Amino acid sequence: SEWILDEGRSQGLSDETSFTAKIVTLGSYRLGVVQPGSDMDTLCIAPPHVAREAFFTAFLKKLENHPHVSDCVPIPGAYTPIIKLKLRGVSIDLLFARLVRPLEPGSDLEAVKDDEILKDMDDKSVRCINGYRVADQILSLVPNQEAFRETLRFVKCWARRRGIYSNVLGFFGGITWALLVARVCQLYPNYCFSQLVNRFFRIYDQWNWSKPVLLCEVVESVPGITGFKVWNPKTNHADKQHLMPVITPAFPAMNCTYNVTETTKRILLDEFRRGYEVVKKVEQAKATWQEVHEPFPFFNNGPFMHYLCLEVLAKSPEIHVKFCGWVESKLRILHKSLEGAVRGMQIHPNPEQYDLRNSDAEWPLGCGMFIELAFFQDQGALPGMMVDLRPTLHQFAEVVSQWSEKDVYNSNFKLKLMHCKRKQLPEYALKAQADKRTRRLCETERS
């Protein structure tokens, strides 16, 4: 609030009653399903006199000078601009939305839920404030919030362990999993947790993905509000190309799975099928609930014997966060290029980022990302055939080299691209997998 007042006074504004700002939670925290160690998604809703530039300059400086704030990294150029920070050790993602009309003093945010709040608002602010509005509508559209939360916790745990929780890589993100669970809750309003989990896997194993998942009818337009693109495959060719559409309930309706590719769709469908098969065994007392979210066996996954390894290296935490985010945001381009690069080759992206554990003395910070590769004869692969992925990797390196901040951080970051076989996997990745297995065994013994 001090920063908001300072901004108003610097502009010669005298009506301090209009200087009302709010900090609200989004995502898992807002939905009531936050887990230990999770990031907290938050949003600063600022009055009209506060510009986004001030958020990333004056407010950022106040955060950096705060004794309890650390690892403060601004990313103003992101599709959804953000400040990443730690407050008393808690990781926080802070977004910013600038209102066109100020909130009334003492407002309880009811005005933010009204579509009228979006009138004349800039696109970035709309994307940010709709994170709050979507979460609020989900909670209002489910018949039993506690059953919804219990089911969503299970589904999110399952998705993370099975390696399909990542919007940026083309899998499903947190809001998508929430929408899928909410739809099941709507269809079976009187079901308990175990029944809802069964129906979740059954429904999405059998879902016709030419049809979208919707919690309510899409509102095409709101009187007096123009200029917003609403998801509509009948009038928009790009929307028609979406492979697994899941539509947000708040105006303007958007598809939150636009990143899904043919590869990630195949993997998601395989996981829905596997989940349903195991849940049926649980109900027949032939399996346990623990087996439903048994972690995906990356690095020991049947025919996937080859790996592309991408190592992101940096010399400071700020550079590492920014460059790693940039590389991750471009990985879908690499995935799409690989999908048709070699006859009979399938890929399986791994969403986890593995700490390099000081394995490179020259680079104090770094992480490894992996893409599994397999070759199938029944799909056209031939024994002993030559595979040259260099053109695809060179093309990806060119995309990465377009990073807007590369000149600012010159020589302080690096991307390594390598191929390795299963027996050549780096020690830091294998150690991370072994550590996770040990932790799970300890958890199982305690339970």
Side-chain angles (χ1 to χ4, degrees):
S1 59
E2 179 188 338
W3 161 64
I4 299 290
L5 289 170
D6 289 346
E7 284 297 310
R9 289 165 184 159
S10 70
Q11 297 173 34
L13 302 176
S14 56
D15 183 13
E16 295 189 3
T17 59
S18 65
F19 293 1
T20 303
K22 298 281 186 181
I23 298 285
V24 296
T25 56
L26 314 171
S28 297
Y29 201 93
R30 173 73 180 155
L31 292 171
V33 292
V34 70
Q35 295 176 319
S38 298
D39 292 354
M40 184 185 293
D41 297 318
T42 57
L43 168 68
C44 173
I45 303 175
H49 71 271
V50 179
R52 187 176 304 277
E53 292 71 25
F55 176 74
F56 282 103
T57 53
F59 183 59
L60 177 65
K61 186 170 287 187
K62 286 186 178 292
L63 288 174
E64 290 173 335
N65 292 332
H66 196 286
H68 300 306
V69 171
S70 62
D71 299 348
C72 198
V73 179
I75 312 177
Y79 181 69
T80 306
I82 190 172
I83 295 177
K84 290 179 170 288
L85 60 104
K86 285 188 177 179
L87 178 62
R88 298 180 186 271
V90 177
S91 296
I92 294 175
D93 290 347
L94 181 58
L95 308 178
F96 176 87
R98 181 189 190 183
L99 297 175
V100 177
R101 289 162 292 281
L103 294 172
E104 294 295 326
S107 166
D108 61 358
L109 291 176
E110 280 302 313
V112 174
K113 301 173 187 178
D114 194 312
D115 294 338
E116 187 69 20
I117 199 80
L118 305 179
K119 189 174 182 181
D120 301 323
M121 186 178 281
D122 68 272
D123 289 346
K124 290 178 180 178
S125 290
V126 170
R127 286 198 289 272
C128 292
I129 207 164
N130 260 10
Y132 173 84
R133 284 159 45 82
V134 166
D136 188 77
Q137 284 212 25
I138 289 174
L139 291 175
S140 70
L141 289 168
V142 294
N144 183 325
Q145 290 188 9
E146 211 38 60
F148 163 73
R149 290 187 176 111
E150 196 173 1
T151 308
L152 181 56
R153 285 190 195 100
F154 183 93
V155 167
K156 283 164 69 79
C157 175
W158 164 77
R160 286 188 189 281
R161 292 193 170 191
R162 299 303 298 176
I164 52 173
Y165 194 118
S166 175
N167 179 59
V168 72
L169 289 194
F171 294 109
F172 290 170
I175 202 65
T176 304
W177 293 117
L179 290 167
L180 294 180
V181 171
R183 183 61 185 135
V184 175
C185 291
Q186 286 182 329
L187 293 170
Y188 302 96
N190 299 315
Y191 274 27
C192 68
F193 157 73
S194 60
Q195 292 172 307
L196 288 170
V197 169
N198 173 292
R199 287 299 182 267
F200 173 86
F201 287 112
R202 176 179 169 182
I203 285 173
Y204 297 117
D205 173 44
Q206 300 172 359
W207 191 267
N208 175 5
W209 287 102
S210 65
K211 307 291 184 185
V213 177
L214 297 164
L215 296 191
C216 56
E217 289 296 316
V218 172
V219 177
E220 297 289 345
S221 62
V222 174
I225 301 179
T226 59
F228 290 115
K229 179 178 170 289
V230 176
W231 186 83
N232 188 338
K234 294 178 181 176
T235 59
N236 190 313
H237 180 71
D239 290 346
K240 194 174 183 178
Q241 304 307 307
H242 293 163
L243 299 175
M244 301 179 79
V246 180
I247 311 304
T248 57
F251 179 84
M254 299 170 62
N255 175 27
C256 54
T257 63
Y258 58 88
N259 281 347
V260 170
T261 65
E262 292 291 352
T263 289
T264 53
K265 179 180 179 180
R266 167 179 55 81
I267 295 167
L268 284 160
L269 293 178
D270 286 347
E271 289 300 328
F272 284 132
R273 172 61 51 85
R274 175 199 170 273
Y276 185 40
E277 293 300 324
V278 179
V279 165
K280 285 193 293 186
K281 289 181 181 178
V282 171
E283 294 181 339
Q284 296 163 6
K286 295 179 180 178
T288 65
W289 282 111
Q290 209 164 19
E291 291 174 56
V292 179
H293 48 63
E294 181 70 25
F296 189 87
F298 284 114
F299 307 140
N300 191 27
N301 180 20
F304 289 84
M305 305 287 290
H306 296 261
Y307 303 85
L308 278 179
C309 173
L310 298 85
E311 291 186 351
V312 177
L313 307 166
K315 293 189 175 177
S316 79
E318 179 177 349
I319 300 171
H320 183 247
V321 169
K322 288 185 175 182
F323 186 53
C324 189
W326 171 255
V327 173
E328 187 181 33
S329 72
K330 301 303 173 187
L331 280 176
R332 282 187 308 113
I333 296 173
L334 177 58
H335 298 164
K336 284 192 171 184
S337 299
L338 289 169
E339 281 172 357
V342 177
R343 189 171 66 249
M345 183 177 77
Q346 275 192 11
I347 69 170
H348 193 129
N350 182 348
E352 187 163 349
Q353 296 178 3
Y354 297 85
D355 190 303
L356 263 55
R357 298 173 180 240
N358 300 312
S359 59
D360 193 321
E362 185 184 351
W363 298 92
L365 295 166
C367 69
M369 308 178 195
F370 294 85
I371 303 170
E372 298 185 328
L373 310 175
F375 300 88
F376 296 93
Q377 290 190 43
D378 60 351
Q379 296 178 27
L382 301 174
M385 72 179 188
M386 291 292 292
V387 176
D388 186 2
L389 297 178
R390 285 175 298 180
T392 301
L393 297 180
H394 284 149
Q395 184 183 18
F396 177 67
E398 283 295 316
V399 171
V400 172
S401 71
Q402 294 168 18
W403 187 34
S404 62
E405 296 189 83
K406 67 177 182 179
D407 293 332
V408 178
Y409 300 118
N410 188 30
S411 301
N412 288 301
F413 66 93
K414 185 177 181 179
L415 173 65
K416 286 184 180 179
L417 296 168
M418 299 166 286
H419 162 264
C420 63
K421 295 181 180 179
R422 185 175 292 172
K423 61 185 178 183
Q424 300 167 324
L425 283 163
E427 186 65 29
Y428 65 80
L430 297 175
K431 183 74 166 60
Q433 291 293 90
D435 288 350
K436 284 201 296 185
R437 280 196 298 271
T438 302
R439 285 197 301 272
R440 284 194 298 273
L441 283 171
C442 293
E443 289 169 3
T444 303
E445 288 171 2
R446 283 199 298 270
S447 60

